[in-house]
């Protein structure tokens, strides 16, 4: 494998796991790294062997981005296929991720709405319930005095 093939494989493997700007950053980094090492006197084969398999390198980069919370890819490498793709069918897959803060905010809003509804019902029924309770208390008090 030569430098061009290594970079191509790395780029395709990264495309499934990180966004395009991260792919470009990493590809540029490894192009420069290979050039610098060759200028230091190492052979291209020696440099590429030290880097290893570009797919494993891409997997490490994708995992590091996930841990840093900046992964925006599909988590599929370029050579993975779904069963439908093997049979010639193409389908769009879209995964939506909701940020944790948005889920928390939604929970707080729902909680406040429920509290608001409960207090609205209580304030609507209070003019009816309070006199009824007072009548019941007075009747029980008078029964107890006899």
């Amino acid at each position: 494998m030569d430098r061009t093939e290594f970079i191509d494989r790395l780029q395709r493997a990264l495309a499934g796991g990180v966004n395009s700007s991260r792919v470009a950053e990493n590809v540029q980094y490894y192009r420069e790294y290979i050039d610098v090492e060759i200028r230091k006197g190492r052979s291209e084969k020696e440099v590429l062997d030290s880097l290893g398999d570009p797919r494993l390198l891409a997997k490490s980069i994708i995992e590091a981005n996930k841990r840093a919370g900046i992964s925006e890819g599909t988590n599929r490498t370029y050579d993975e296929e779904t069963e439908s793709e093997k049979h010639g069918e193409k389908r769009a897959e879209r995964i939506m991720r909701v940020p944790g803060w948005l889920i928390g905010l939604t929970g707080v809003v729902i909680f406040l709405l429920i509290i608001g509804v409960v207090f609205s019902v209580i304030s609507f029924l209070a003019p009816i319930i309070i006199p009824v309770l007072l009548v019941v208390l007075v009747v029980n008090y008078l029964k107890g005095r006899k």
Side-chain angles (χ1 to χ4, degrees):
M1 167 175 23
D2 66 356
R3 169 188 346 196
T4 306
E5 187 178 354
F6 178 89
I7 293 297
D8 183 54
R9 285 184 182 181
L10 177 66
Q11 187 171 9
R12 290 189 326 201
L14 285 171
V18 294
N19 65 32
S20 59
S21 65
R22 293 267 179 218
V23 171
E25 288 173 17
N26 282 285
V27 166
Q28 183 62 31
Y29 171 81
Y30 283 101
R31 275 190 183 126
E32 290 173 4
Y33 175 81
I34 293 167
D35 289 341
V36 167
E37 292 300 309
I38 289 173
R39 275 188 250 132
K40 287 181 180 178
R42 294 175 67 190
S43 70
E44 182 177 296
K45 181 176 177 5
E46 201 178 8
V47 175
L48 296 178
D49 286 345
S50 72
L51 289 172
D53 185 354
R55 289 179 295 174
L56 293 176
L57 182 58
K59 186 175 181 180
S60 298
I61 293 168
I62 291 167
E63 289 300 318
N65 280 296
K66 281 183 190 176
R67 284 192 296 276
I70 53 179
S71 177
E72 297 176 12
T74 62
N75 296 327
R76 288 180 50 198
T77 59
Y78 68 90
D79 56 353
E80 290 179 350
E81 292 181 313
T82 63
E83 284 299 315
S84 62
E85 289 172 335
K86 287 179 184 175
H87 294 77
E89 302 170 21
K90 294 287 184 187
R91 64 176 178 189
E93 294 180 22
R94 181 168 290 211
I95 298 173
M96 302 247 340
R97 297 198 177 160
V98 181
W101 65 268
L102 186 58
I103 293 171
L105 181 63
T106 304
V108 168
V109 168
I110 290 171
F111 176 75
L112 291 175
L113 284 172
I114 291 171
I115 296 295
V117 168
V118 167
F119 278 108
S120 295
V121 169
I122 290 173
S123 66
F124 177 75
L125 294 177
I128 299 167
I129 295 173
I130 292 174
V132 169
L133 285 175
L134 286 175
V135 169
V136 169
L137 285 173
V138 169
V139 168
N140 282 337
Y141 178 73
L142 292 175
K143 277 185 182 177
R145 289 194 84 201
K146 289 184 181 179

